[in-house]
Amino acid sequence: MPAYDDLMAFQRTTEALAQVAGRTGWDQETMMPVGAAPQRAEEMAALEEVLHARRTDPRIGDWLEEAHAPDAAADANLRDIRRSYDRNHKVPARLASELARVTSLAQGQWATARASEDAASFAPVLAEVVRLRQEEGAALAAGTNRDAYDALMQDYEPGGNAADMAAMFDKMRPRLRALRERALGATPAPTVAGRFSAVQQIALSEEVAAAYGYDMMRGRLDTAVHPFSSGSGTDVRITTRVDENDPFNCLFSTVHEVGHASYEQGVDAAYLLTPIGRGVSMGVHESQSRSYENQMARSEAYCGWLFGRMRDVFGDIGVTSERDFYRAVNSVGSGYIRTEADEVNYNLHVMLRFDLERGLILGDLDVADLEGAWNDRFASDFGFAVDKPSNGFMQDVHWSVGLMGYFPTYSLGNLFAGCLMAAARRDVPGIDDALAQGDPSPATGWMRANLQRYGALREPTETIRHATGEDPSAEPLLAYLEAKFGDLYP
Amino acid sequence: MPAYDDLMAFQRTTEALAQVAGRTGWDQETMMPVGAAPQRAEEMAALEEVLHARRTDPRIGDWLEEAHAPDAAADANLRDIRRSYDRNHKVPARLASELARVTSLAQGQWATARASEDAASFAPVLAEVVRLRQEEGAALAAGTNRDAYDALMQDYEPGGNAADMAAMFDKMRPRLRALRERALGATPAPTVAGRFSAVQQIALSEEVAAAYGYDMMRGRLDTAVHPFSSGSGTDVRITTRVDENDPFNCLFSTVHEVGHASYEQGVDAAYLLTPIGRGVSMGVHESQSRSYENQMARSEAYCGWLFGRMRDVFGDIGVTSERDFYRAVNSVGSGYIRTEADEVNYNLHVMLRFDLERGLILGDLDVADLEGAWNDRFASDFGFAVDKPSNGFMQDVHWSVGLMGYFPTYSLGNLFAGCLMAAARRDVPGIDDALAQGDPSPATGWMRANLQRYGALREPTETIRHATGEDPSAEPLLAYLEAKFGDLYP
């Protein structure tokens, strides 16, 4: 099978360059001097040009025709390479390079404009990003029966489509709204208060990250405006953010990113720098971050341990019982910010973005009307008005970097997390006893053994099915939420 | 001139990728998790493969044949591209990739072995680096009348050669030895003592770096094992190191790297991401770092200001007069470490390396005999014995990353610095009065106006001649050293 070997040698170099590109993005968010932004945009465009040329190299087509897969891993590698080759062949090099350049600039302009609540200065560059992504979506949809939005979604969730997402949302919406109404009508949860120094928060986050299995010998933790995980293989970095008035933001952001990073760190070392040596989709990725963040770290068992640990670290934190602490951690409120939303409201935030971004890509919504559309929809869905752009349509980095089609995978991840944790609790009876001791390893160990180590060996839905033994469905998540929040807001 | 425009558009992407490669090297020294080293070696090899393919792209040959330079800057760009094209065409892609991979690994093994004084574990990988560099030197020398060592030197000092270096060293050696004998026979200089916290040292270094013109909006300061400057254009980063028992190591390392970084930051913005948009050679680069570090920061005038500032920051520092502080800063001693050597001993350290590395490349010295040869030569030149590898042949990172042919440019830089500062003091009478106020800007301003802004517009020797109006010579440096250390050790 020389064709397969030649293809994989070529691919390995491409994978290594993709890791460099990812880390250059990490650097941009964590280390880059502010004055370097225009030069960085040229650097990112240059990397994108090289990667695009490699991913569309005509030799790949020849190799793919001749290559035979000796085993299931090779078969999965060929499937992934073929998908990427077909995809990148549809996108002209000029467009790929332009997208890299514009999104790099737009990300910087988003950060600046967001800091000064300057929606007007962000709109032109966002319009340019949308225009380029529309063009890309149309190119990808050509010759398929997908529309431009579904075509874009394939990059994040192979096999996913807006109709399925809409059906999922239709099933979730009434039951989440009912939970929300119930919580908002009940006695408000207590809140923590105290002095939460940045240094102590970071130290606690590092301690918790290690307990959740994050390996600092193959990663590092820094701060950034928007928490994220970056890289695959032996260099998987995470970022978090710190609010000295709120100890939960840093801690749960960290555990969330540890979920993502553990997936990457957990993939079989034999898959290093191959197409299957990384998480299979954004939805499955988010199943890990949400399992870690919500189903483990926000569980009543783990909150019991965390209550004691936080009192050790910070002294008086304003609540005095494990139950009140658990209620504070899981307070259902009326916030503006998706990333700070509780488990009940979170998916409602995603539904809003899903509809708006689909409108942008399909041409039903102009960028000029985006802020108004967001604010109207938000008032209708959440019952109060957006007060400023950083609490509204400019809160997330995603659209500035062109990530339309990505948001719904967050909700899909929550759905998958529901399926996975139900299976883990079925298979491993001691999960909550260990969490009550501050030890998530029975749960994280189940994830590693049943999902993480396989990387992208199987397609997303099949990955969940293999781990759980069942077809994915929204029911486990909804049942979990109704049990948890029914107890919290009786 | 479409050929020139096409060539420069292609070149601009290559320059951007080279910036990424440089920053990936920076990351490896400052941010990379230890467990990522093998993967990083593959990433660096992948980048090198891409850069090599671009630098040997046959289209460059066609463009170079057709291109006409509309002005002096274009002429210099074409000269540089032609030199790089010819050079890289001589080196097989397989060898370039192998060099990148092996030197990346060797650098990690050097750091590990150095920390544990384990010369034996470093020798095999160093032998591999030497073998590859011999092969590269032979390839580069083919068709020229240069030997392999001179051929390698062209990458660092275009136009330089070992015969000129040897002649320079022959002229410097007796006068430096005489100064050394005089100093070691005189009353020893006083030494500073006190508590020098890492945090305060870094803060003082940042303050001083800013005064010397380093722009943090287009750079950043971190710590690393070996201080270095990295990058061109609008993202020029420096590192330093901190020894809590010695406040001078961090401070003067920083000023040294600020000299390098100021050269890169000072180049005309119109040259960004073009071949002339960076320092022209290592020798000219070192002229900047040594002017900043020695001729400015270690001057009697600046030491007067620094004495007061350091007492403000650290309290009692063990010396009580400006003159004693100046003597402590410029103490001539008997140390093992090149980077910590005083101005009198420094070039003697370089001469040792120059002869040994030339022997390695020309096959006159085996890596197996390197430690012994180093220790014998050191005892002969400096009069005392090397006590451990980290104080001997393993002290510098250079050979692990294949930088043979580089060391002599350090001395050439000192020579150029002597020429430049003599010219600056001739042209700008107020330099020392300003330095006495902690203000190096008259001197750094002269450097920016007369040298830095031109980047690589002119060849190295011509760059010095244009700035000073005279041919480079060792005489100004030797006269400066004899006056300074004749006064310090009367």
Side-chain angles (χ1 to χ4, degrees):
Chain A
M1 32 150 211
Y4 179 75
D5 291 345
D6 288 349
L7 173 58
M8 288 305 288
F10 182 84
Q11 182 69 25
R12 194 171 183 93
T13 298
T14 308
E15 298 282 339
L17 292 168
Q19 289 299 310
V20 170
R23 202 169 310 103
T24 303
W26 169 87
D27 182 274
Q28 183 165 330
E29 291 300 291
T30 55
M31 300 291 157
M32 185 183 82
V34 292
Q39 177 177 330
R40 177 60 58 92
E42 291 201 54
E43 293 170 7
M44 290 300 287
L47 279 167
E48 193 52 45
E49 183 182 322
V50 168
L51 284 167
H52 187 268
R54 293 187 68 88
R55 287 169 176 157
T56 55
D57 191 303
R59 287 173 294 175
I60 295 177
D62 300 339
W63 284 320
L64 281 171
E65 262 183 40
E66 293 172 37
H68 297 284
D71 55 29
D75 198 52
N77 279 325
L78 289 176
R79 181 194 68 216
D80 190 281
I81 295 169
R82 185 169 287 115
R83 182 184 285 145
S84 165
Y85 181 70
D86 292 344
R87 182 233 185 273
N88 288 304
H89 247 282
K90 290 182 167 181
V91 181
R94 186 249 337 136
L95 177 59
S97 173
E98 186 70 0
L99 263 165
R101 193 186 65 77
V102 170
T103 54
S104 177
L105 279 177
Q107 185 172 6
Q109 293 188 22
W110 164 78
T112 306
R114 177 174 174 269
S116 55
E117 304 293 351
D118 185 3
S121 82
F122 178 53
V125 72
L126 178 60
E128 186 64 9
V129 172
V130 168
R131 190 187 64 71
L132 291 167
R133 287 288 277 167
Q134 285 175 333
E135 191 183 340
E136 187 176 40
L140 291 170
T144 76
N145 50 15
R146 294 192 178 102
D147 65 22
Y149 185 79
D150 281 0
L152 292 178
M153 196 190 294
Q154 302 312 304
D155 284 348
Y156 316 117
E157 200 64 30
N161 64 76
D164 285 354
M165 297 292 167
M168 168 182 79
F169 288 135
D170 286 345
K171 179 165 185 192
M172 294 166 81
R173 189 179 290 110
R175 290 167 70 174
L176 294 177
R177 282 202 170 152
L179 276 179
R180 183 167 181 274
E181 292 309 309
R182 174 179 180 154
L184 294 180
T187 313
T191 54
V192 298
R195 298 190 50 174
F196 308 105
S197 83
V199 169
Q200 287 175 312
Q201 287 196 52
I202 293 291
L204 179 61
S205 289
E206 286 177 345
E207 172 192 333
V208 166
Y212 275 85
Y214 182 59
D215 180 2
M216 281 280 188
M217 298 292 277
R218 298 182 291 146
R220 52 179 293 132
L221 173 64
D222 296 277
T223 57
V225 172
H226 192 88
F228 64 94
S229 169
S230 166
S232 297
T234 59
D235 194 344
V236 186
R237 306 181 182 189
I238 59 175
T239 66
T240 187
R241 58 181 166 198
V242 182
D243 175 348
E244 293 208 326
N245 297 312
D246 173 11
F248 295 148
N249 196 326
C250 177
L251 187 81
F252 290 105
S253 292
T254 301
V255 177
H256 180 98
E257 300 308 332
V258 164
H260 286 300
S262 293
Y263 190 7
E264 295 295 333
Q265 289 188 332
V267 176
D268 191 328
Y271 300 170
L272 182 76
L273 294 177
T274 71
I276 63 172
R278 55 176 179 257
V280 66
S281 74
M282 296 304 120
V284 179
H285 241 296
E286 195 72 5
S287 79
Q288 298 304 288
S289 56
R290 286 298 172 177
S291 291
Y292 281 51
E293 176 192 359
N294 289 335
Q295 301 233 13
M296 299 178 206
R298 286 199 172 93
S299 68
E300 184 157 20
Y302 190 72
C303 283
W305 175 84
L306 189 58
F307 171 67
R309 189 73 194 97
M310 288 187 70
R311 295 225 297 188
D312 290 346
V313 171
F314 300 112
D316 177 19
I317 57 172
V319 295
T320 54
S321 74
E322 292 184 4
R323 179 74 183 175
D324 276 358
F325 182 80
Y326 174 55
R327 290 174 63 212
V329 164
N330 289 285
S331 169
V332 175
S334 284
Y336 297 108
I337 304 296
R338 175 186 59 85
T339 58
E340 297 167 6
D342 53 82
E343 292 177 78
V344 173
N345 278 297
Y346 187 86
N347 294 302
L348 297 170
H349 283 276
V350 172
M351 293 172 200
L352 180 160
R353 287 154 180 76
F354 169 67
D355 289 330
L356 294 185
E357 70 178 18
R358 193 152 178 262
L360 287 173
I361 293 299
L362 298 183
D364 301 327
L365 176 62
D366 279 351
V367 169
D369 302 324
L370 176 60
E371 185 175 15
W374 177 294
N375 292 349
D376 290 349
R377 169 74 180 262
F378 190 89
S380 159
D381 279 6
F382 293 89
F384 60 104
V386 172
D387 59 347
K388 53 188 179 182
S390 67
N391 279 336
F393 86 107
M394 283 173 67
Q395 70 182 258
D396 293 308
V397 71
H398 301 58
W399 289 339
S400 77
V401 293
L403 287 176
M404 293 83 174
Y406 186 115
F407 275 120
T409 70
Y410 287 132
S411 288
L412 192 62
N414 286 324
L415 182 151
F416 288 159
C419 302
L420 291 164
M421 286 301 295
R425 290 179 196 280
R426 174 198 68 203
D427 292 352
V428 189
I431 283 179
D432 286 296
D433 294 341
L435 284 170
Q437 307 298 317
D439 174 17
S441 66
T444 60
W446 186 93
M447 289 294 179
R448 184 143 300 187
N450 291 284
L451 188 142
Q452 293 170 356
R453 71 189 180 95
Y454 296 113
L457 180 65
R458 302 181 183 89
E459 294 275 39
T461 303
E462 184 56 27
T463 295
I464 302 300
R465 196 179 289 121
H466 183 270
T468 65
E470 290 170 9
D471 285 337
S473 126
E475 197 50 41
L477 173 70
L478 292 167
Y480 152 81
L481 291 174
E482 283 164 351
K484 176 172 181 175
F485 291 93
D487 167 60
L488 280 162
Y489 293 96
Chain B
M1 33 155 210
Y4 179 75
D5 291 345
D6 288 348
L7 174 59
M8 289 304 288
F10 182 84
Q11 182 69 26
R12 194 172 183 93
T13 298
T14 307
E15 299 281 340
L17 292 168
Q19 290 298 309
V20 171
R23 202 169 310 103
T24 303
W26 169 86
D27 182 274
Q28 184 166 330
E29 291 300 291
T30 55
M31 301 291 158
M32 186 183 82
V34 292
Q39 176 176 331
R40 177 60 58 92
E42 292 202 53
E43 294 171 7
M44 290 300 287
L47 278 167
E48 193 53 44
E49 182 182 322
V50 168
L51 283 167
H52 187 268
R54 293 186 69 88
R55 287 168 175 156
T56 54
D57 191 303
R59 286 173 294 174
I60 295 177
D62 300 338
W63 283 320
L64 281 171
E65 262 183 39
E66 292 173 37
H68 298 285
D71 54 31
D75 198 51
N77 278 325
L78 288 177
R79 181 194 70 217
D80 189 281
I81 294 169
R82 185 170 287 114
R83 181 183 288 145
S84 165
Y85 181 70
D86 292 344
R87 182 234 185 274
N88 288 304
H89 248 282
K90 290 183 167 181
V91 181
R94 186 251 336 137
L95 176 59
S97 174
E98 186 71 0
L99 264 165
R101 193 185 65 78
V102 171
T103 54
S104 177
L105 279 176
Q107 183 172 6
Q109 293 188 22
W110 163 77
T112 306
R114 176 174 175 268
S116 55
E117 304 293 351
D118 184 3
S121 82
F122 179 51
V125 71
L126 179 60
E128 186 64 10
V129 172
V130 169
R131 190 188 65 70
L132 291 167
R133 286 288 276 166
Q134 284 174 334
E135 190 182 339
E136 186 176 39
L140 292 171
T144 76
N145 49 15
R146 294 193 178 102
D147 64 21
Y149 185 79
D150 281 1
L152 292 177
M153 196 190 294
Q154 302 311 304
D155 285 349
Y156 315 117
E157 200 65 29
N161 64 77
D164 285 354
M165 297 292 166
M168 169 182 81
F169 287 135
D170 286 344
K171 179 166 185 191
M172 293 165 80
R173 190 180 288 108
R175 290 167 70 175
L176 293 177
R177 283 203 170 152
L179 275 178
R180 185 166 179 274
E181 293 308 311
R182 174 178 181 156
L184 293 181
T187 312
T191 54
V192 297
R195 299 189 50 175
F196 307 106
S197 83
V199 170
Q200 287 175 312
Q201 286 197 52
I202 293 291
L204 179 61
S205 289
E206 287 177 345
E207 173 192 331
V208 166
Y212 275 85
Y214 182 60
D215 180 2
M216 281 279 189
M217 299 292 277
R218 298 180 292 145
R220 52 178 294 130
L221 173 65
D222 296 278
T223 57
V225 173
H226 191 89
F228 64 94
S229 169
S230 166
S232 298
T234 58
D235 194 344
V236 185
R237 305 181 183 188
I238 59 175
T239 66
T240 187
R241 57 181 166 199
V242 182
D243 175 349
E244 293 209 326
N245 297 313
D246 173 10
F248 295 149
N249 195 325
C250 177
L251 187 81
F252 289 105
S253 292
T254 302
V255 177
H256 180 98
E257 300 308 332
V258 164
H260 285 300
S262 292
Y263 189 8
E264 295 295 333
Q265 290 189 332
V267 176
D268 191 327
Y271 300 169
L272 182 76
L273 294 178
T274 71
I276 62 171
R278 54 177 179 254
V280 66
S281 74
M282 294 304 120
V284 178
H285 241 296
E286 195 71 5
S287 79
Q288 298 306 288
S289 57
R290 286 298 173 177
S291 292
Y292 281 53
E293 176 192 359
N294 290 336
Q295 301 233 12
M296 299 178 206
R298 285 198 172 93
S299 67
E300 184 157 20
Y302 190 73
C303 283
W305 175 84
L306 189 59
F307 170 67
R309 189 73 193 97
M310 288 186 70
R311 296 227 295 189
D312 290 345
V313 171
F314 300 112
D316 177 19
I317 58 171
V319 294
T320 54
S321 74
E322 292 183 3
R323 178 73 184 177
D324 276 357
F325 182 80
Y326 174 54
R327 290 173 64 212
V329 164
N330 290 285
S331 169
V332 175
S334 284
Y336 296 107
I337 305 297
R338 174 186 60 86
T339 58
E340 296 168 6
D342 54 81
E343 290 177 79
V344 172
N345 278 297
Y346 187 86
N347 294 301
L348 297 170
H349 283 276
V350 172
M351 292 172 201
L352 180 160
R353 287 156 180 75
F354 169 66
D355 288 329
L356 295 185
E357 70 177 16
R358 194 152 177 262
L360 288 173
I361 292 300
L362 298 183
D364 302 327
L365 176 65
D366 278 350
V367 168
D369 302 322
L370 176 61
E371 185 175 14
W374 178 293
N375 292 350
D376 290 349
R377 170 73 181 262
F378 189 88
S380 159
D381 280 7
F382 292 89
F384 61 104
V386 171
D387 59 346
K388 53 187 178 183
S390 68
N391 279 336
F393 84 107
M394 284 174 65
Q395 70 181 257
D396 292 308
V397 71
H398 300 61
W399 289 338
S400 77
V401 292
L403 287 176
M404 293 84 173
Y406 186 114
F407 274 120
T409 68
Y410 287 131
S411 289
L412 192 62
N414 286 326
L415 182 153
F416 289 158
C419 302
L420 291 165
M421 286 301 295
R425 289 180 197 280
R426 175 197 69 201
D427 292 352
V428 189
I431 281 178
D432 286 296
D433 294 342
L435 284 169
Q437 306 298 316
D439 175 17
S441 66
T444 59
W446 186 92
M447 289 294 179
R448 183 143 298 187
N450 291 283
L451 187 143
Q452 292 170 357
R453 72 190 179 95
Y454 296 113
L457 180 65
R458 302 181 183 89
E459 294 276 37
T461 304
E462 184 56 26
T463 295
I464 303 300
R465 195 179 290 120
H466 183 269
T468 64
E470 290 170 10
D471 285 337
S473 128
E475 197 50 43
L477 174 69
L478 292 168
Y480 152 81
L481 291 174
E482 284 164 351
K484 177 172 179 174
F485 289 93
D487 168 59
L488 280 162
Y489 293 96

